[in-house]
Amino acid sequence: MPALAAHHGGTGLMSDSTQLILAALLGIAVIVVLITVAKLHPFLSLTLGSLTVGAAAGMSMSRTVESFSAGVGTTVAGVGMLIALGAMFGKLLADSGGADQIVDTIIGKSSDRMLPWAMAGIGALIGLPMFFEIGLVLLMPVIFLVARRSGKSLIGLGIPALAGLSAMHGFVPPHPGPLVAVDALGADLGLTLGLGVLVAIPTIIVAGPLFARVAPRWVDVPTPHLFDADEQVHTGKRPSFALTLATVLLPVVLMLAKTVADIVEAEGVLRSTLDFVGTPLVALLISVLVAMFTLGRAGGMEWDRIMDTLGASLGPIAGIVFIVGAGGGFKQTLVDTGIADVVAEWVEGSNFSVFVVAWLVAVLIRLATGSATVATVTASGIMAPLAGDLSSPEVSLLVLAIGAGSLFFSHVNDAGFWLVKEYFGMTVGQTIKTWSIMETVLSVSGLIVVLLLGLVV
């Protein structure tokens, strides 16, 4: 298991190192205070935090602006297109009735005893192509409907679904958090995706169906009648379950193709083809084009409506793209001032695994800001110099350790906390006993699986 190694080449003087460490802490403090106290938008907070870091580190303001702008440009170029294509794909899945088809098929084939496991599977499948907030909005009517029809505990069915959804958000590209960490650390996306699914499965089981056996004893709330109309039978045309499932898995299979080519050492035309279709941008572009027919047309959507769906998907993710971009700018400022190198040097000699340190950094920023994405981009910037000493699988595990830390203990400064609280009709205390603890179990068990994988890769 890789431990932290010494990094030289940054500033050698202790006074300079201390100044850089204080600059990093001041920048992070500015971001935290602006987001949590001043309620300033994270994009502006990250921008001001980056300028603060540069000024406090002694870098000229023009150089700081150049560094921040370069980071924003690189990140948006690498990640922004993928987020946009992912949003289009998710919107097509929802509007075509494909998501409903997956849900109805899985629920229809599940016994009462297997319902929590089925709900975890639905959460993971819905979460694979969709952003967390969109997936949550889609899942809530399903959770309420199944809870009413089965007579089972709302918490006992809701927790597994939320665990599946949240794990995908934290561990599996093309979600914004894992994507930006992959970009910042130079990880192999296909390998990270494969290992991310490998980490997500056991963590979903522990934080979902297993934790759901305990949580209903602590909190028992009635099922709200928020989506009663959704119990009416949907009579519109839908894509088939097999076609929908194949379409959802298509981007995953394509992105894994490049990794498979590396493993089997393919050559010639086969290698160049797998490399091309396995490129994240191409894989998602192909998936969106295929989904227009396998989900859109197969779901009875007219061509104009498909185009409207694709157009409508982009507005809501503009904020995410710019937050992620500003996070990339903050990361680049940390790197260019030499702070990231100093942090790696500063923790030299501690016998901590690099994965544990990455997890702890992400946990602290997550607790302070409430944002999994801000936690991921900031932790990735701080840990970036360490990635150079790691093998490709270890860099992917570093991404997943940061992802695990970014999920830790969602509480009152996280928008997801309030979404869950209001949908389930719980008090703040009840939400902490269920949602917050589930997120913590997800985070800790994710780190444990990463550490175990670190022993064998």
Side-chain angles (χ1 to χ4, degrees), residues 89 93 96 98 101-102 105 237-251 290-300:
F89 190 84
L93 180 65
S96 66
Q101 185 67 30
I102 288 176
T105 303
K237 186 180 178 185
R238 291 178 183 175
S240 70
F241 174 74
L243 192 59
T244 303
L245 186 60
T247 307
V248 168
L249 295 177
L250 178 62
V290 169
M292 286 162 58
F293 296 94
T294 58
L295 296 178
R297 296 296 292 163

Side-chain angles (χ1 to χ4, degrees), residues 132 136 140 162 415-426 431 434-435:
F132 178 79
L136 184 63
M140 294 319 299
L162 294 175
F417 177 92
W418 296 102
L419 269 174
V420 172
K421 175 192 174 296
E422 294 306 317
Y423 269 129
F424 280 79
M426 295 188 289
T431 311
T434 51
W435 163 253

Side-chain angles (χ1 to χ4, degrees), residues 148 161 219 255 430:
R148 275 198 300 277
V219 175
M255 280 190 262
Q430 288 174 326

Side-chain angles (χ1 to χ4, degrees), residues 202-288:
T203 60
I204 290 170
I205 290 171
V206 173
L210 297 185
F211 177 60
R213 294 180 180 179
V214 179
R217 299 176 194 170
W218 302 338
V219 175
D220 182 26
V221 290
T223 305
H225 291 275
L226 209 55
F227 299 101
D228 281 352
D230 287 314
E231 293 199 29
Q232 296 171 3
V233 178
H234 176 77
T235 55
K237 186 180 178 185
R238 291 178 183 175
S240 70
F241 174 74
L243 192 59
T244 303
L245 186 60
T247 307
V248 168
L249 295 177
L250 178 62
V252 177
V253 172
L254 290 175
M255 280 190 262
L256 287 174
K258 191 172 187 296
T259 304
V260 171
D262 293 335
I263 293 170
V264 302
E265 298 181 353
E267 295 178 356
V269 176
L270 177 62
R271 176 56 183 258
S272 58
T273 302
L274 290 175
D275 278 349
F276 176 70
V277 301
T279 305
L281 177 64
V282 176
L284 276 169
L285 179 60
I286 291 171
S287 300
V288 169

Side-chain angles (χ1 to χ4, degrees), residues 88-433:
M88 287 180 167
F89 190 84
K91 182 74 169 160
L92 273 173
L93 180 65
D95 287 4
S96 66
D100 292 333
Q101 185 67 30
I102 288 176
V103 168
D104 291 349
T105 303
I106 293 176
I107 294 300
K109 295 183 182 299
S110 301
S111 64
D112 277 2
R113 191 174 61 83
M114 291 301 294
L115 273 179
W117 296 85
M119 295 302 288
I122 288 170
L125 270 176
I126 295 294
L128 193 59
M130 292 192 182
F131 297 123
F132 178 79
E133 291 80 3
I134 301 168
L136 184 63
V137 170
L138 275 175
L139 272 179
M140 294 319 299
V142 177
I143 294 169
F144 295 164
L145 180 62
V146 174
R148 275 198 300 277
R149 286 184 180 172
S150 66
K152 298 279 186 182
S153 161
L154 176 64
I155 300 300
L157 294 174
I159 286 294
L162 294 175
L165 184 67
S166 189
M168 293 294 126
H169 174 69
F171 295 123
V172 182
H175 286 284
L179 267 183
V180 80
V182 164
D183 184 64
L185 299 173
D188 181 287
L189 191 137
L191 185 59
T192 306
L193 194 154
L195 288 172
V197 172
L198 207 58
V199 170
I201 291 170
T203 60
I204 290 170
I205 290 171
V206 173
L210 297 185
F211 177 60
R213 294 180 180 179
V214 179
R217 299 176 194 170
W218 302 338
V219 175
D220 182 26
V221 290
T223 305
H225 291 275
L226 209 55
F227 299 101
D228 281 352
D230 287 314
E231 293 199 29
Q232 296 171 3
V233 178
H234 176 77
T235 55
K237 186 180 178 185
R238 291 178 183 175
S240 70
F241 174 74
L243 192 59
T244 303
L245 186 60
T247 307
V248 168
L249 295 177
L250 178 62
V252 177
V253 172
L254 290 175
M255 280 190 262
L256 287 174
K258 191 172 187 296
T259 304
V260 171
D262 293 335
I263 293 170
V264 302
E265 298 181 353
E267 295 178 356
V269 176
L270 177 62
R271 176 56 183 258
S272 58
T273 302
L274 290 175
D275 278 349
F276 176 70
V277 301
T279 305
L281 177 64
V282 176
L284 276 169
L285 179 60
I286 291 171
S287 300
V288 169
L289 294 174
V290 169
M292 286 162 58
F293 296 94
T294 58
L295 296 178
R297 296 296 292 163
M301 296 173 71
E302 296 294 331
W303 189 254
D304 287 347
R305 190 178 164 215
I306 293 173
M307 293 303 106
D308 289 343
T309 291
L310 296 179
S313 69
L314 297 177
I317 54 100
I320 296 173
V321 171
F322 281 101
I323 291 168
V324 166
F330 181 63
K331 178 220 70 170
Q332 195 59 45
T333 308
L334 289 173
V335 170
D336 289 351
T337 52
I339 289 169
D341 281 323
V342 172
V343 170
E345 214 171 295
W346 186 54
V347 292
E348 174 198 358
S350 72
N351 292 318
F352 280 119
S353 154
V354 65
F355 303 138
V356 174
V357 173
W359 181 82
L360 284 171
V361 171
V363 163
L364 291 173
I365 298 166
R366 159 69 159 180
L367 288 173
T369 65
S371 169
T373 304
V374 171
T376 301
V377 296
T378 309
S380 298
I382 291 171
M383 302 305 294
L386 299 168
D389 292 337
L390 304 178
S391 67
S392 183
E394 287 169 345
V395 177
S396 291
L397 289 177
L398 185 62
V399 169
L400 299 175
I402 291 170
S406 75
L407 297 174
F408 191 87
F409 198 76
S410 162
H411 62 101
V412 293
N413 60 358
D414 177 18
F417 177 92
W418 296 102
L419 269 174
V420 172
K421 175 192 174 296
E422 294 306 317
Y423 269 129
F424 280 79
M426 295 188 289
T427 64
V428 168
Q430 288 174 326
T431 311
I432 288 173
K433 288 179 185 176

